Amino acid sequence: MTQHSIVPPGAARATGLAAAAVLTLLAGAAKAPAQVAAGDKLVPIPLQLPKPMFEGTPQNLSVPNLQKPLGRPRDPFLAPAGVANVSKAKKVASSDMEPVIGELEQVTDGDKKGAEGSFVELGPGLQHVTIDLGAAHEVFAVVLWHFHKTPRVYFDVVVQLADDAAFTKNVRTVFNNDHDNTAKLGAGTDMNYVETSEGKLVDAKGGKARFVRAYSRGNSANELNHYVEVEVFGRPAK
Ligand SMILES: [Ca+2]
Ligand SMILES: [Ca+2]
């Protein structure tokens, strides 16, 4: 399994010129994600958000490396025109094929509500859900809703793309906040975040993949793993 850390921790402090050089080097070394063609018109992805279940910023979460809430709606995410949710009703597999509550189909059924009955609950420890897009797609964004009825942080969130269901071929990590490598997928540099109705939007940079996998290892309220929905915004690969 290969790992790619896109930006080293020190890169943000480098001068503009040096940072650009580092990024150019990294881009050159990365395993050629599909590029946005010069003629592609960029527009906001057609993301529809569920109703918020709570207001304000939670104060009582003692989670290290926690991202400060933006305090306003997230900026629209731009992708080439025509990019759509390509995961709706697609087949879902999991490390826990017999969920404690709910069914795996709920991960891609389009119901993103925070209410009881709108999530699937997987067992404790490191678990994943894996979505089969049915064919190779250029993936621009992955949006995750674990559980957003109450403010909560899910641990060791790792999102990967791959060419095969077993995640042995062309595996790319597009998000990883497992900073101490508990999940043994490589240490990540992304931050912990509080679940909200906005979901977590992960930039997948147009990478070509048929399979999308999301890991977690319990949360700040209990050891279980939940999914309300995962949406993959992409387009069929040429
Ligand atoms: Ca759902
Ligand atoms: Ca960890």
Side-chain angles (χ1 to χ4, degrees):
M1 194 169 288
T2 57
Q3 298 297 329
H4 299 288
S5 176
I6 304 299
V7 182
R13 290 191 298 275
T15 66
L17 199 62
V22 167
L23 288 172
T24 304
L25 280 170
L26 284 168
K31 213 177 253 178
Q35 297 299 320
V36 173
D40 272 334
K41 185 177 175 245
L42 295 179
V43 299
I45 57 170
L47 173 60
Q48 293 184 339
L49 299 180
K51 206 166 98 247
M53 300 295 283
F54 59 89
E55 300 284 335
T57 306
Q59 306 292 335
N60 58 347
L61 288 163
S62 59
V63 171
N65 196 31
L66 186 62
Q67 191 170 49
K68 204 165 163 260
L70 207 50
R72 57 173 172 82
R74 180 174 57 217
D75 291 333
F77 183 84
L78 302 181
V83 164
N85 175 16
V86 292
S87 59
K88 180 82 183 285
K90 294 287 167 67
K91 220 172 150 196
V92 181
S94 175
S95 49
D96 184 356
M97 290 302 281
E98 292 180 355
V100 183
I101 297 172
E103 305 293 337
L104 291 173
E105 291 76 47
Q106 288 176 272
V107 176
T108 55
D109 68 354
D111 175 5
K112 294 173 258 184
K113 288 196 295 290
E116 297 294 335
S118 292
F119 62 84
V120 58
E121 180 174 88
L122 309 176
L126 187 71
Q127 302 285 359
H128 69 75
V129 293
T130 300
I131 298 167
D132 180 359
L133 299 176
H137 284 71
E138 288 177 324
V139 177
F140 290 90
V142 180
V143 190
L144 311 168
W145 292 264
H146 287 107
F147 183 87
H148 61 91
K149 190 180 180 193
T150 55
R152 216 180 245 197
V153 177
Y154 282 76
F155 299 120
D156 297 347
V157 175
V158 181
V159 180
Q160 293 183 325
L161 311 179
D163 292 350
D164 65 325
F167 279 66
T168 61
K169 295 191 181 99
N170 196 18
V171 179
R172 286 140 293 160
T173 299
V174 291
F175 184 88
N176 184 345
N177 66 15
D178 179 18
H179 61 97
D180 57 358
N181 198 21
T182 322
K184 305 277 192 288
L185 296 163
T189 56
D190 292 302
M191 294 185 80
N192 289 316
Y193 63 91
V194 178
E195 294 280 328
T196 71
S197 58
E198 280 198 318
K200 180 65 179 179
L201 191 152
V202 173
D203 185 352
K205 301 185 180 350
K208 208 181 278 187
R210 173 172 166 177
F211 295 89
V212 176
R213 174 174 285 184
Y215 289 91
S216 61
R217 187 183 54 79
N219 65 84
S220 53
N222 57 59
E223 293 183 343
L224 300 167
N225 296 278
H226 306 89
Y227 286 89
V228 164
E229 192 80 3
V230 177
E231 287 189 337
V232 178
F233 288 85
R235 61 182 176 185
K238 289 185 199 88

